[in-house]
């Protein structure tokens, strides 16, 4: 999970752990997230778009190229994203626990179908 707001990151991580999902991170920067991706520690991801002075779009590019399922969890609108990301899973902030868990279940289903 990539989220720059510490409290949001911890709340979401806690909800995911309580639901039985292993959580890598959370991390709050592109560099930290890329280290996890490059180390093959990411099966699926939740990405906030705006991360302080940077965006998670470089992470999304790599995940998309690798076929790793991910969702944007963001205050941005779908139309604010570059066209290549507009069909990606999208959860609008503020996101409820149910919305996050549904998104992760959907991502896990995609992951299970991956050859």
């Amino acid at each position: 999970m990539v989220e720059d707001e510490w409290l949001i990151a911890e709340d979401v991580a806690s909800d995911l752990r309580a639901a039985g999902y292993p959580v890598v991170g959370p991390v709050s920067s592109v560099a930290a997230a890329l280290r996890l991706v490059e180390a093959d520690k990411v099966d699926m991801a939740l990405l906030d778009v705006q991360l302080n002075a940077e965006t998670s779009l470089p992470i999304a590019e790599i995940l998309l190229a690798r076929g790793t399922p991910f969702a944007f969890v963001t205050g941005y609108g779908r139309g604010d994203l570059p066209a290549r990301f507009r069909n990606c899973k999208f959860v609008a902030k503020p996101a409820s626990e149910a919305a996050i868990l549904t998104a992760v279940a959907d991502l896990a289903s995609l992951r299970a179908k991956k050859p």
Side-chain angles (χ1 to χ4, degrees), residues 2 27 29-40 58-60 62 66:
V2 183
V27 296
S29 71
V30 171
L34 291 177
R35 282 192 296 273
L36 293 174
V37 170
E38 293 302 321
D40 274 339
I59 305 159
I62 291 171
R66 289 180 172 211

Side-chain angles (χ1 to χ4, degrees), residues 10-32:
E10 287 303 316
D11 282 347
V12 172
S14 177
D15 292 341
L16 292 172
R17 287 184 190 105
Y21 293 103
V23 176
V24 176
V27 296
S28 62
S29 71
V30 171

Side-chain angles (χ1 to χ4, degrees), residues 13-111:
S14 177
D15 292 341
L16 292 172
R17 287 184 190 105
Y21 293 103
V23 176
V24 176
V27 296
S28 62
S29 71
V30 171
L34 291 177
R35 282 192 296 273
L36 293 174
V37 170
E38 293 302 321
D40 274 339
K41 297 190 181 242
V42 178
D43 293 329
M44 60 182 146
L46 298 176
L47 307 175
D48 184 10
V49 172
Q50 188 64 48
L51 303 170
N52 295 311
E54 57 187 351
T55 72
S56 65
L57 297 180
I59 305 159
E61 290 279 2
I62 291 171
L63 295 174
L64 200 58
R66 289 180 172 211
T68 303
F70 68 92
F72 290 111
V73 182
T74 183
Y76 277 46
R78 192 179 292 275
D80 296 324
L81 298 173
R84 66 188 168 282
F85 298 123
R86 289 190 187 143
N87 291 325
C88 293
K89 189 91 179 134
F90 184 88
V91 180
K93 279 185 175 178
S96 68
E97 177 183 347
I100 297 285
L101 292 177
T102 297
V104 171
D106 291 347
L107 295 175
S109 174
L110 290 172
R111 179 73 182 158

